[in-house]
Amino acid sequence: MAKSYYLSPTAPNSGLTTASLGLTRALDELGVKVGFFKPVTQTGAGVADSSIYFANKLFDTPNQQAISIEQAQSFLSLGKKSQLLEKFVDNFRTASEGFDAMVIEGIAPTIDDADTNGLNADISNCLNAEIILIAPASHEDSNSGIAEMDHHLSRAISSLSTVKKNIIGCIINHVITTEPVDSDLDQITVSNLNEKSEQQVIDFKLCSSFSNKFGLVGQIPHRPELQSPRVIDVARALNLSIPSKLNCDDILHERRVTNISVCARSVENLVTIFNPGTLLVTPGDRNDVLLAACMAAQNGTQLAGIILTGNLHPNSQIMALCLPTLRESLPIFNTQEDTFKTTVRLSALENKVALDDLERIKSGIANISENLNTDWLKENFQKERSARFSPAAFRFELSKNAKAAKKTIVLPEGAEPRTVRAASICHQRKIATCVLLGKEEEIRSVALRHDFQLPDDIQIVDPDEVRKQYVVPMTELRKHKNLSPQAAESMLEDNVVLGTMMLAQGVVDGLVSGAIHTTANTVRPAFQLIKTAPSSKIVSSIFFMCLPEQVLVYGDCAINPEPDAEQLADIAIQSADSATAFGIEPKIAMISYSTGTSGEGKDVEKVRKATKIAQEKRPDLLIDGPLQYDAAAIEDVAKKKAPNSKVAGKATVFIFPDLNTGNTTYKAVQRSANVISIGPMLQGLRKPVNDLSRGALIEDIVFTIALTAVQATQNND
């Protein structure tokens, strides 16, 4: 899995694009095979995203899918955040294929929608990325500037509180490195229109925010020439008239605007503003200004150009006199707007790099990469980051694997509204072929009453029409219990039993039930008709707990009331293997009310014994216990209670000592933290049967169907 860096801006105009591409170049120069990804584009419809365009052009990254900010906001407003994050994961997996590192450009805050921190946090988390903040430099006096930057960074980190531990550093952009010179009152400095005249050089390394855990990745010097657009860019932005007979196309694309001067004085008082890079703005009838500008150009001063305002034009004889100079060295433009309106529009000009201005973007990228701390980058890249499955990534992989499995799952509760809706969703997403047991008329009526359309080709099986064909096979399976055909037919009146027989006979690949049935109603037929797998001594269960930051495995929370030490060890091993099968690196914590040797008692001793048994059976697994839940889950607590443990503080699989503890814990976490829990998934059966909580949401059922389909594939293997 590629190491990922998510660049999150702390304010508008932080220089996000240049910083992202600059980091990409710096990693590339370190010999890292690095890719670039932008999950959300903020350009309008039909407009190319400059970041993606430049990344493709300069780093030969593959074409990628980006979701528009409007699409993202639509998903969120409709309460479809999970689906949105899964789309980001899907797009990212495609873009990152074959790379060792990925630079991810976050969402820039705007005046209209400055609250983008929540979405930046969610995206970085679902992509398991480390966060580098991009902050514009503060240019107060030295002490105030450092204090202001500390305050700014503190607020930025606080706004990303849900992913605070993933924030590893900051790039400070636009740092003034020399004392600026006061500019003429008639001039607008394009590079920084709001720049103060008494700025001081500040070394932001002195900020107290920076530490071993949060580093200064780079101070990027402010270079005004890199902020300068070409003359053609200004003309396009203001929709200026460009007389083709008077302008040289090469000059329009090469000459850059560093200052804008309004020519409101007499000519003798304007001479001092005729400097290289200055764009003159003057009423079109100021023949004297035009003549003076042409004289300056003839003397070698490379003015950026001259804008003639008010739909006014110079005297024709003057124009004839100036024509050679205009053609060779002085770009000229016309506008119908007056001087004041033109100046206001120029002052508000959005200073984006044009897509065909590769020279400017290359220079900006070089300025970033040359001023990053390459030693810090090398050290960080070499640090191994523990594999972590975010809920969005887990759900994406689960759906993807279920689609690839192409399995058929029977749903005995065929007329239950949530189940019918979940089956419809699975059909639409191609997660599995669902078979609803029930009367077709009743099932379609349920769909209509709940305002959704059931697909015409979804499979509905009337139990009355198929029940008899399973009587003989069932009596054969239960002949050791002397089951009569009459008793079998009576038992098959229960749709869960009928569905289980369909699974036993290979008509379907898996079964999901429990929305209106108890766990016993779902599991008992499976014990009787499916039975345990040859390699299993016990049937147990796990839940996949989709916490905000990652997916954890809880077991056993549904089946075994009081497992002994041997059974508990088997549950731990089964749960570890299930975690691995679903992409979660197993670090198994055997949970108790005591950590290590700090407590005594029958229950603690059982966990201690189970831990030893599991370690001996599977020395390849990381298993530790007894551990209290906080010691297993929280790194800071682990350092105090179990400092030498390789599991404590990093556990991904939690094995509870009994059903009372496990079920209580999973429900407390699920309801208190508003967490989606997928399961319970049964382990140890020959074929997959999975139980639902009677309070299961539609999405819970959808993903339980998905994991049942994936289990069916593994059982076949």
Side-chain angles (χ1 to χ4, degrees):
M1 183 180 291
K3 180 130 181 172
S4 302
Y5 299 98
Y6 190 96
L7 274 66
S8 180
T10 64
N13 303 315
S14 298
L16 175 61
T17 292
T18 315
S20 301
L21 295 173
L23 177 60
T24 305
R25 170 172 162 169
L27 289 166
D28 183 58
E29 289 176 342
L30 288 174
V32 175
K33 192 174 182 182
V34 58
F36 177 86
F37 179 65
K38 186 167 184 177
V40 177
T41 178
Q42 293 171 271
T43 60
V47 180
D49 186 283
S50 58
S51 302
I52 297 173
Y53 177 85
F54 287 133
N56 291 345
K57 201 81 173 173
L58 301 176
F59 301 107
D60 196 28
T61 58
N63 290 328
Q64 59 179 262
Q65 294 290 324
I67 295 170
S68 72
I69 189 67
E70 292 80 14
Q71 286 177 302
Q73 290 167 341
S74 176
F75 269 93
L76 295 174
S77 66
L78 293 171
K80 295 183 177 181
K81 181 177 173 181
S82 295
Q83 291 93 316
L84 175 63
L85 296 180
E86 287 166 40
K87 282 184 176 290
F88 290 136
V89 172
D90 188 4
N91 293 344
F92 179 71
R93 293 290 170 88
T94 302
S96 61
E97 192 172 339
F99 292 107
D100 297 323
M102 291 295 292
V103 174
I104 306 166
E105 183 179 317
I107 306 171
T110 63
I111 295 173
D112 296 331
D113 183 23
D115 187 21
T116 55
N117 292 317
L119 195 48
N120 276 325
D122 288 335
I123 299 173
S124 65
N125 182 58
C126 81
L127 302 183
N128 193 24
E130 295 175 309
I131 299 171
I132 297 176
L133 302 177
I134 308 296
S138 170
H139 292 135
E140 304 292 335
D141 61 76
S142 184
N143 290 332
S144 298
I146 289 173
E148 176 63 26
M149 180 55 70
D150 273 324
H151 180 61
H152 181 78
L153 292 176
S154 177
R155 282 185 302 167
I157 293 169
S158 177
S159 69
L160 295 166
S161 58
T162 57
V163 287
K164 182 178 178 180
K165 68 179 184 180
N166 297 332
I167 303 174
I168 58 171
C170 177
I171 296 171
I172 300 180
N173 212 352
H174 308 312
V175 178
I176 300 296
T177 55
T178 57
E179 297 287 351
V181 179
D182 286 352
S183 59
D184 191 287
L185 292 176
D186 284 342
Q187 289 187 310
I188 301 170
T189 304
V190 172
S191 61
N192 194 341
L193 297 169
N194 299 313
E195 198 171 281
K196 296 184 178 181
S197 60
E198 296 183 356
Q199 294 156 339
Q200 297 183 15
V201 179
I202 303 175
D203 185 0
F204 289 101
K205 292 177 185 175
L206 302 176
C207 288
S208 60
S209 299
F210 297 116
S211 63
N212 289 334
K213 290 187 177 180
F214 179 68
L216 178 58
V217 185
Q219 292 189 94
I220 312 303
H222 176 65
R223 289 176 55 190
E225 69 273 16
L226 299 181
Q227 307 300 314
S228 303
R230 301 167 304 177
V231 181
I232 190 66
D233 300 328
V234 176
R236 288 169 179 167
L238 269 64
N239 197 26
L240 301 176
S241 175
I242 309 174
S244 57
K245 294 182 180 180
L246 300 179
N247 287 289
C248 173
D249 192 60
D250 288 345
I251 294 177
L252 291 177
H253 285 80
E254 293 171 2
R255 193 120 352 140
R256 297 191 177 274
V257 180
T258 56
N259 296 293
I260 299 168
S261 291
V262 181
C263 301
R265 313 177 192 176
S266 60
V267 170
E268 59 267 25
N269 292 318
L270 290 174
V271 173
T272 56
I273 68 170
F274 288 176
N275 298 311
T278 298
L279 179 64
L280 306 175
V281 183
T282 185
D285 58 357
R286 286 291 300 269
N287 297 312
D288 54 339
V289 174
L290 179 60
L291 281 168
C294 286
M295 290 179 65
Q298 284 181 334
N299 287 330
T301 301
Q302 292 191 344
L303 294 166
I306 183 168
I307 300 175
L308 304 179
T309 66
N311 201 26
L312 299 171
H313 302 279
N315 176 275
S316 59
Q317 292 178 313
I318 297 294
M319 282 298 292
L321 184 65
C322 296
L323 189 59
T325 303
L326 295 173
R327 284 176 173 169
E328 293 176 9
S329 57
L330 183 61
I332 186 168
F333 312 97
N334 300 109
T335 178
Q336 294 186 6
E337 293 183 334
D338 61 30
T339 303
F340 177 76
K341 287 183 179 178
T342 302
T343 306
V344 169
R345 290 186 66 197
L346 284 166
S347 67
L349 197 65
E350 193 174 12
N351 196 16
K352 285 188 175 180
V353 182
L355 295 182
D356 59 347
D357 192 359
L358 288 178
E359 178 190 348
R360 181 178 167 194
I361 195 66
K362 283 180 179 178
S363 299
I365 290 171
N367 186 44
I368 298 284
S369 64
E370 290 164 4
N371 288 282
L372 293 179
N373 185 337
T374 53
D375 290 336
W376 184 94
L377 282 176
K378 282 180 186 176
E379 183 180 350
N380 180 270
F381 178 74
Q382 289 167 0
K383 281 182 184 175
E384 281 193 26
R385 191 157 188 240
S386 59
R388 181 185 62 81
F389 237 160
S390 70
F394 178 78
R395 290 192 302 267
F396 168 76
E397 285 295 326
L398 181 55
S399 298
K400 175 182 157 188
N401 292 336
K403 290 175 188 177
K406 300 185 186 303
K407 297 299 181 182
T408 300
I409 309 300
V410 65
L411 307 174
E413 299 159 324
E416 195 280 320
R418 290 166 295 164
T419 303
V420 178
R421 183 70 177 120
S424 179
I425 291 171
C426 287
H427 188 87
Q428 291 164 0
R429 297 183 190 172
K430 295 181 171 53
I431 286 174
T433 299
C434 292
V435 177
L436 292 164
L437 290 185
K439 299 292 185 182
E440 182 163 359
E441 184 179 344
E442 181 185 358
I443 292 170
R444 293 199 180 277
S445 175
V446 166
L448 288 175
R449 284 202 311 271
H450 288 81
D451 200 29
F452 66 90
Q453 188 71 39
L454 201 59
D456 292 335
D457 58 345
I458 199 163
Q459 288 194 37
I460 298 174
V461 173
D462 186 339
D464 294 340
E465 295 179 2
V466 300
R467 188 176 295 116
K468 287 188 181 299
Q469 70 189 60
Y470 293 103
V471 172
V472 172
M474 186 169 174
T475 56
E476 183 65 25
L477 283 173
R478 301 289 290 164
K479 64 183 179 182
H480 63 288
K481 293 290 185 179
N482 297 316
L483 182 69
S484 69
Q486 293 79 12
E489 187 168 358
S490 176
M491 291 174 67
L492 286 165
E493 293 284 343
D494 183 339
N495 281 358
V496 177
V497 176
L498 176 59
T500 306
M501 274 305 302
M502 294 172 71
L503 177 60
Q505 293 298 107
V507 176
V508 296
D509 302 303
L511 179 147
V512 173
S513 182
I516 54 177
H517 287 85
T518 65
T519 296
N521 289 142
T522 298
V523 173
R524 188 183 299 111
F527 285 165
Q528 295 172 342
L529 304 171
I530 303 299
K531 302 184 180 179
T532 57
S535 59
S536 299
K537 294 180 180 179
I538 189 172
V539 173
S540 65
S541 73
I542 57 170
F543 281 90
F544 293 98
M545 304 296 291
C546 298
L547 274 63
E549 290 188 10
Q550 69 181 115
V551 177
L552 302 177
V553 172
Y554 284 8
D556 175 3
C557 305
I559 301 296
N560 297 286
E562 287 284 350
D564 59 28
E566 188 80 34
Q567 290 171 328
L568 199 59
D570 285 343
I571 291 169
I573 292 168
Q574 284 180 344
S575 301
D577 289 339
S578 292
T580 302
F582 284 88
I584 298 170
E585 182 183 352
K587 296 178 182 178
I588 306 106
M590 308 294 283
I591 302 300
S592 176
Y593 60 77
S594 171
T595 294
T597 58
S598 65
E600 296 296 335
K602 180 180 68 173
D603 293 334
V604 179
E605 187 56 38
K606 179 180 80 169
V607 174
R608 189 174 289 124
K609 185 177 178 182
T611 303
K612 187 176 181 182
I613 293 169
Q615 289 170 337
E616 289 173 351
K617 283 186 174 182
R618 290 291 297 276
D620 58 306
L621 294 174
L622 282 177
I623 307 173
D624 198 5
L627 291 170
Q628 290 166 287
Y629 190 97
D630 58 351
I634 302 169
E635 198 169 346
D636 289 342
V637 177
K639 288 177 181 176
K640 297 174 184 176
K641 292 188 174 183
N644 299 318
S645 173
K646 294 181 179 180
V647 173
K650 304 168 187 172
T652 57
V653 178
F654 293 71
I655 304 302
F656 298 101
D658 52 59
L659 185 58
N660 183 47
T661 306
N663 192 270
T664 302
T665 303
Y666 117 75
K667 283 191 180 293
V669 172
Q670 180 192 40
R671 298 302 179 183
S672 300
N674 195 26
V675 164
I676 290 176
S677 61
I678 302 174
M681 185 184 91
L682 302 189
Q683 309 171 126
L685 288 169
R686 288 177 183 270
K687 294 183 179 183
V689 172
N690 285 313
D691 180 39
L692 297 167
S693 165
R694 276 167 285 174
L697 303 174
I698 292 168
E699 281 292 293
D700 298 338
I701 301 173
V702 168
F703 286 113
T704 301
I705 292 169
L707 69 84
T708 306
V710 175
Q711 265 189 301
T713 304
Q714 295 160 357
N715 284 7
N716 290 346
D717 295 342

